Amino acid sequence: MNRSTIDLWVGVFVVMGFVALIFLALRVGNLASFSTGQTYKIEAKFGNIGGLKVRGPVKSAGVVVGRVVDVRFDNESYEAVVLMDIE
């Protein structure tokens, strides 16, 4: 192997390392959803949402089954309305 071929392979591995770091940072920061499965939306009303935020996990028995899409306030019933994507 000559010098330019080795430099090319080193460059490829460095780029793959940066892509892997970006992917992990997005997953840890909960900024991107890489789920390709089908989801359905559920809208629920809550009297107290205590710390719930958009892109937060929706859990059932400790297992993440979806994500919060939107949180808004209903002026008629004076309750919080939460829109969730469930897998």
Side-chain angles (χ1 to χ4, degrees):
M1 284 190 157
N2 57 14
R3 177 80 175 169
S4 62
T5 305
I6 293 172
D7 288 344
L8 175 70
W9 282 107
V10 168
V12 167
F13 283 117
V14 168
V15 168
M16 287 173 41
F18 280 128
V19 169
L21 283 175
I22 290 172
F23 174 78
L24 288 174
L26 290 175
R27 291 297 287 177
V28 168
N30 200 16
L31 297 176
S33 177
F34 297 104
S35 174
T36 57
Q38 291 185 349
T39 62
Y40 57 94
K41 296 193 182 304
I42 293 180
E43 188 173 279
K45 291 185 179 183
F46 295 96
N48 180 7
I49 58 170
L52 190 65
K53 58 185 175 182
V54 176
R55 290 191 312 265
V58 176
K59 295 182 180 181
S60 177
V63 178
V64 176
V65 294
R67 298 273 172 202
V68 174
V69 175
D70 185 33
V71 178
R72 60 185 167 83
F73 184 72
D74 185 12
N75 289 328
E76 295 176 6
S77 65
Y78 298 108
E79 293 180 321
V81 179
V82 179
L83 182 64
M84 301 170 274
D85 262 344
I86 305 297
E87 296 175 1

